[in-house]
Amino acid sequence: MEIIRNNIHMDTQRSAACIQFTPGEDMNVPDSRPDVSTILLSDGEVVLSGIRPGSEQVTVEGDLLVRILYHSEENGGCFVPLEVKIPFKETLHMNAVTSSDCVTVETCLEDLSVEIINSRKLSLHSLVTITAEVEDLYDVELPVDVSGEEKPEYRYVPVDVCQMVVSKNDIFRLKEEVSLPGTYPNIEKLLWSEVSLEELDIRPMEEKLMLSGAVHLFALYESAGEKNNITAYETSVPVTGTMDCHGCKEGMTPDIACTIGQKSIMVRPDEDGEERCINMDLVLELSVRIYEDQQVEMITDLYGVENEVCTEYTEQPLRKLFKKVTGKTKVSDKLPVKEGPMLQLLYSHGEVLRESQTIGPEGIVLKGFLKVKALYITGDDGKPYGFLEELIPYSYTLEVQGIRETDVCSVRARVEQLQTIPMGGEELEVKAVLTFSTILFRTQPLQILSAAAVSKETAGRNELPGMVIYVVKEGDSLWTIGRKYYVHVERIKELNHLETDQLIAGQKLLIVRD
């Protein structure tokens, strides 16, 4: 007797680790650059150069790239961009990891501050989080049929499972050109640029992924022909495209994380030779997991009719998709302007910083901060530009009915809307909508039929009568009665002219053993 099985591909986290470290340094301003008067903008990016797993550990190497834009009062005042590279090498201790494992590493720049020590020296401080994990792909074999000369009676139960169809890391190259509107002056020098993903929808189609959304571009530049005349420009660029993804189909469940990796922002001349075009060359890094919900009719029990059948069971975890949830919350505050008054807002940006994630009785409790940055023109001739950076706390429960502490989920957060409104030059009113989304998986242990074999034992079987009138008791089913007398369920229904499996206590059934 052979059990026919349906293989279900699944993934599980074998090991995970997380560390925080504080790369930083005191740096001298290069001799070719003027003195520093005011720090205007700063941001950072963690770039990995190597991930080396070993025995019970993984070593991560890379650089923290810091960009700084400062204002100098020399030569009548000017904006000066500056870049700094801080190398790092960190080791994470991870149980059950070997040198041959594929380790997935994510980084997050939690905090960055740039302070002026003196006009020729700056102090950089940061907080970086590194998270590493190793996943195992494995098969769960669900019994769905039996072959062989013995024709046993078996019972099916529908089981909901979530099969992993695609697991890979990939990239999507995005090249776009933006032309300045006619009301904006030509670009003499690009001082600062930022790109960020707005809402990006990635859907599985037949053997491919379809991407649609937008990229937000902010550019701060010195206008041509007018020294120290600073212009700010921002726009949203639509993004559409497809990429190959073998095995996926429309209707499957995607769990895809997308971040901007390498990027290049360059100024190019237009058809008239004027510097009015901004070229974006971006690499979108995607962590792709595609799942397919299935309902499998699994054999949970069987018994022999002609011969005794011995069975064995093993317990295995089976994962299913529990829920896909999205929620939104509003955040607002009025931030004081320290270097003011604020005459004109040039730039503002919001970023969600997560501090904690816990499971509560009503859902996933999320706490953290909305980090707000703003660059503006002041009314102070001595300090004509000001920079504001503040943290606005938030606390939000992503409602999930029936959630359990053992459910597995990874919550993604983004700023959907951000409004920054100067209030009388002394305050900046901030209104934002934060969006949180997650896919929850639930793991359930199942007793799975692992082996079945015909036995020559006949004890008990030969003592049963060949024909009997059986009176149904409370809790009886056709399955339990058929198993007791070694008779096929369909044979009982046929002899007693039953159209359904429903039984009533006290009902009489004719049982005939062949």
Side-chain angles (χ1 to χ4, degrees):
M1 180 180 295
E2 181 182 357
I3 300 175
I4 299 173
R5 306 178 187 278
N6 187 351
N7 290 339
I8 304 297
H9 304 291
M10 293 194 169
D11 63 326
T12 185
Q13 186 185 83
R14 187 207 315 165
S15 182
C18 180
I19 64 168
Q20 288 186 323
F21 64 103
T22 56
E25 63 178 28
D26 292 345
M27 58 161 292
N28 295 318
V29 177
D31 294 338
S32 59
R33 305 294 176 92
D35 289 353
V36 179
S37 299
T38 307
I39 301 294
L40 298 176
L41 292 172
S42 63
D43 71 3
E45 177 185 6
V46 180
V47 179
L48 298 180
S49 58
I51 301 171
R52 298 198 307 274
S55 178
E56 303 286 319
Q57 66 180 30
V58 59
T59 300
V60 179
E61 293 183 77
D63 297 291
L64 172 61
L65 303 181
V66 180
R67 295 191 306 154
I68 302 167
L69 183 67
Y70 69 88
H71 183 254
S72 175
E73 294 180 359
E74 292 186 10
N75 303 319
C78 60
F79 280 46
V80 183
L82 193 63
E83 293 188 357
V84 184
K85 180 187 291 187
I86 305 176
F88 66 83
K89 180 178 180 180
E90 297 292 327
T91 298
L92 293 81
H93 297 283
M94 300 181 66
N95 296 328
V97 172
T98 66
S99 58
S100 61
D101 285 328
C102 179
V103 182
T104 301
V105 174
E106 293 185 358
T107 63
C108 179
L109 179 59
E110 304 282 359
D111 189 32
L112 174 68
S113 65
V114 181
E115 299 175 354
I116 300 174
I117 298 176
N118 56 53
S119 62
R120 303 301 303 172
K121 195 169 187 177
L122 304 176
S123 178
L124 279 64
H125 301 278
S126 67
L127 176 64
V128 175
T129 299
I130 295 180
T131 303
E133 68 173 25
V134 176
E135 289 186 339
D136 282 334
L137 298 179
Y138 66 98
D139 285 349
V140 175
E141 297 183 334
L142 301 183
V144 295
D145 205 350
V146 177
S147 65
E149 295 183 2
E150 179 74 20
K151 300 300 181 183
E153 182 72 20
Y154 37 85
R155 180 165 56 180
Y156 287 108
V157 169
V159 177
D160 293 325
V161 297
C162 189
Q163 176 168 232
M164 169 170 278
V165 179
V166 179
S167 175
K168 67 172 183 176
N169 295 325
D170 210 336
I171 62 171
F172 181 79
R173 196 75 176 262
L174 178 64
K175 293 185 178 182
E176 295 287 344
E177 183 174 274
V178 177
S179 298
L180 293 178
T183 55
Y184 281 76
N186 292 353
I187 300 173
E188 176 70 26
K189 181 180 180 181
L190 185 62
L191 300 170
W192 189 268
S193 64
E194 282 189 7
V195 289
S196 58
L197 292 174
E198 295 185 343
E199 184 174 2
L200 186 64
D201 183 35
I202 306 178
R203 297 184 180 182
M205 305 297 286
E206 195 71 28
E207 298 295 321
K208 63 183 179 181
L209 294 175
M210 180 171 288
L211 295 82
S212 61
V215 171
H216 182 265
L217 167 68
F218 168 75
L220 192 70
Y221 65 91
E222 194 173 284
S223 306
E226 299 181 44
K227 187 176 181 181
N228 299 332
N229 187 11
I230 306 302
T231 302
Y233 173 71
E234 57 184 325
T235 186
S236 290
V237 182
V239 174
T240 58
T242 61
M243 57 187 298
D244 293 336
C245 187
H246 177 67
C248 76
K249 297 179 181 179
E250 187 175 0
M252 290 183 173
T253 301
D255 185 15
I256 303 174
C258 181
T259 57
I260 297 177
Q262 296 180 358
K263 53 182 177 288
S264 173
I265 312 296
M266 304 289 291
V267 177
R268 302 290 187 191
D270 61 10
E271 294 179 353
D272 297 327
E274 297 182 327
E275 301 288 324
R276 299 188 59 80
C277 295
I278 301 175
N279 278 14
M280 296 188 296
D281 189 350
L282 310 178
V283 175
L284 305 186
E285 298 179 349
L286 290 88
S287 174
V288 181
R289 304 290 185 271
I290 308 290
Y291 298 92
E292 182 179 23
D293 294 331
Q294 295 183 4
Q295 189 175 79
V296 179
E297 294 287 333
M298 183 182 78
I299 295 177
T300 58
D301 198 5
L302 60 81
Y303 61 85
V305 174
E306 298 175 2
N307 299 289
E308 192 75 36
V309 175
C310 298
T311 56
E312 294 181 9
Y313 292 83
T314 57
E315 184 175 282
Q316 292 193 31
L318 198 65
R319 192 170 71 171
K320 67 176 182 179
L321 176 64
F322 177 50
K323 283 185 180 179
K324 188 174 182 179
V325 186
T326 299
K328 300 180 181 181
T329 187
K330 294 181 180 180
V331 174
S332 63
D333 201 354
K334 291 183 179 180
L335 307 179
V337 175
K338 298 177 182 178
E339 299 173 353
M342 180 184 292
L343 297 185
Q344 181 184 348
L345 184 64
L346 294 176
Y347 160 79
S348 62
H349 177 72
E351 179 185 0
V352 181
L353 302 180
R354 296 240 311 274
E355 186 178 55
S356 66
Q357 172 183 318
T358 57
I359 303 296
E362 298 180 357
I364 307 170
V365 181
L366 303 164
K367 293 183 179 181
F369 299 92
L370 171 64
K371 183 178 181 179
V372 179
K373 297 191 296 184
L375 177 66
Y376 56 92
I377 298 175
T378 75
D380 186 348
D381 293 337
K383 290 185 176 181
Y385 297 96
F387 176 63
L388 179 151
E389 182 175 287
E390 294 288 346
L391 299 177
I392 302 174
Y394 71 83
S395 180
Y396 174 67
T397 298
L398 186 59
E399 294 183 1
V400 185
Q401 292 185 354
I403 193 171
R404 301 174 185 171
E405 290 188 0
T406 53
D407 291 339
V408 178
C409 66
S410 177
V411 179
R412 296 191 176 96
R414 63 182 179 86
V415 181
E416 183 174 295
Q417 298 176 22
L418 178 68
Q419 267 189 312
T420 49
I421 306 169
M423 304 291 290
E426 303 299 325
E427 291 181 321
L428 181 67
E429 184 177 21
V430 178
K431 296 180 180 180
V433 176
L434 312 184
T435 298
F436 301 90
S437 60
T438 187
I439 298 176
L440 287 94
F441 296 95
R442 175 163 292 175
T443 301
Q444 53 188 356
L446 284 182
Q447 293 292 327
I448 296 177
L449 179 66
S450 57
V454 176
S455 172
K456 295 181 180 181
E457 294 184 8
T458 60
R461 178 186 294 267
N462 294 336
E463 299 175 3
L464 292 171
M467 182 173 65
V468 66
I469 300 296
Y470 182 81
V471 180
V472 177
K473 301 180 182 63
E474 194 72 36
D476 279 343
S477 66
L478 289 176
W479 171 265
T480 59
I481 296 170
R483 181 168 195 149
K484 179 177 180 179
Y485 290 99
Y486 301 96
V487 179
H488 286 292
V489 169
E490 286 301 320
R491 178 60 173 160
I492 300 175
K493 292 175 69 175
E494 179 185 349
L495 287 172
N496 293 274
H497 307 290
L498 301 177
E499 295 183 358
T500 70
D501 292 347
Q502 299 297 319
L503 297 178
I504 302 173
Q507 182 177 356
K508 294 180 180 180
L509 298 176
L510 173 62
I511 308 295
V512 178
R513 296 182 59 216
D514 295 332

